[in-house]
Amino acid sequence: MVTDITQLTGDYAASWLPWLMIPLVFYILPFPIVALVFLWIERESVEEES
């Protein structure tokens, strides 16, 4: 399947979806992921101490 630049016009049903997903994935989603990883690491260190 070959796609050229003339086909990438955004004339599909959810053309707004990339503009929603880009800030969601790169600006909003990293904060809860980092928080969960931090809590997971801290929980493991507390388990090792006891």
Side-chain angles (χ1 to χ4, degrees):
M1 187 170 109
V2 178
T3 304
D4 62 351
I5 196 68
T6 60
Q7 293 174 330
L8 299 175
T9 59
D11 293 334
Y12 50 94
S15 61
W16 50 268
L17 193 60
W19 297 108
L20 177 70
M21 295 301 288
I22 289 168
L24 186 70
V25 168
F26 291 108
Y27 300 137
I28 299 169
L29 201 60
F31 292 106
I33 290 175
V34 169
L36 288 173
V37 169
F38 174 77
L39 291 173
W40 182 36
I41 292 170
E42 287 295 315
R43 188 186 66 198
E44 286 187 348
S45 68
V46 168
E47 288 176 357
E48 289 176 1
E49 289 176 359
S50 59

